[in-house]
Amino acid sequence: MKLTIEYLQETLKGRFELSLLQELVEVGQFKRAPVGSYLIRPGEYIRSVPFIIRGSVKIMRPDQEGREALLYYLGGLDACAMSLTCCLGSKRSEITAVVEEETELIAIPVEKIDDWLCRYSTWKQFVFQTYQKRFDNLLMTIDEVIFHKLDERLLAYLQKKVASCQCTVLNITHEEIAQELATSREVISRLLKQLEKNGQIQLTRNKITMLA
Amino acid sequence: MKLTIEYLQETLKGRFELSLLQELVEVGQFKRAPVGSYLIRPGEYIRSVPFIIRGSVKIMRPDQEGREALLYYLGGLDACAMSLTCCLGSKRSEITAVVEEETELIAIPVEKIDDWLCRYSTWKQFVFQTYQKRFDNLLMTIDEVIFHKLDERLLAYLQKKVASCQCTVLNITHEEIAQELATSREVISRLLKQLEKNGQIQLTRNKITMLA
DNA sequence: CAGCCTATGTAACAATTGTCACGGAAGCCT
DNA sequence: AGGCTTCCGTGACAATTGTTACATAGGCTG
């Protein structure tokens, strides 16, 4: 699809000035990314920063043994701070970005990130806001892992998921959850069963329904 | 102490252009911070960003119950990214910064951070480099906590400490370590004893000597 | 030296998390 | 229906981490 000023004005209303929108239309590349597709893989160089218009993207952190833990989600009007730093420092990515729900995004070429920074104060603001949000995300993730037990983390995980997909029925297997929380399937099954006993969720194959 | 161009040229050699150094001399405030002093407390507004010339500063993350876990260390020529985001978004600090070893720093007023960003490309570079380093630090911390067990984390902790203070004898109590790793003193004592049995360290009161 | 405070050692037990083994259930395909 | 694959439930046990309780040791102060 081709980007238009009208589309941008509608989706980003008031966030950026007109002249910036015009540049965005020129250099930005609109993309629709299907569920499960990878926006970024660890080790890759990043040539464009994804600016998410709508949808949901999962940011994960891999380790050497092939495990991959969830860091946080990006949603509408978010941008990936990791990409920003990688671009500006031309380093390889240290994270994975997977589309969680069908996502529309604008790919912005690296050069422009820097170029716009001093020419558009709204852009500068946006970039720094992005950094701040990502720091907050990371800190919250760290809090979870350091200070909370698995059952609490699991519940928080489910709630985040619900918030991100806007519906109370999650289509997900225990195995997937286990991977994102960096533990084993059996442990997750056990804890989920506990939550079910407490009346907080309902379990069926490939599906978890939040009740609370 | 009063800042001088000569001092900055010596300590920051080549990193910033002369005109920026001149501004730094004018608006920056040189400070010497003793061990144990707080540069930032959670909940505070931040009016100046600490740019560390020499020494070591510990960045910690508190939780509601008064626990406080170590995130990472800042050393020479580092700046605190948290301060940056807080300033630019005028938000309260979410972390604690404590001086680990006698530190010399330059306090830079908030307004200047933004002001210089577009006027000095070396400054812009520095700011983004700072963000990137802090992201890396946080990611490494997350890796530790998510993927590694306490004994490995403890060893990594000790090694980081050794690297940061440049000597193999650490003056620290088990209790302090326990707090920074968000666990209990007994657990740390147990694991330290294990390390001692393995011949990796030597324990005496208030002191841990690294052997490996 | 006696008294006191802090740091450390350690046993015993509880709780949490990880692993193994296996059985059953749900859905799909032919 | 029968066979196959994937997902889930669960018991049993191991390993790790947390907690309680108390003993001992080092070092300081009067």
Side-chain angles (χ1 to χ4, degrees), chain A residues 149-150 183-187 190 205:
Chain A
K149 283 196 277 234
L150 250 183
T183 178
S184 70
R185 199 267 311 163
E186 294 90 328
V187 171
R190 185 158 61 203
R205 191 186 171 88

Side-chain angles (χ1 to χ4, degrees), chain B residues 4 6 12 14 17 25 36 42 48 53 63 75 85 90 96 106 108 112-113 121 128 131 158 161 179 185 197 211:
Chain B
T4 64
E6 292 71 32
L12 309 179
E17 51 266 74
V25 166
S48 64
I53 301 298
D63 84 334
T85 55
S90 53
T96 310
I106 303 177
I108 304 174
K112 291 300 167 185
I113 308 296
S121 69
F128 284 105
Y131 273 117
L158 294 175
K161 206 96 171 163
Q179 284 184 19
R185 196 269 311 165
K197 267 185 198 150
L211 299 178

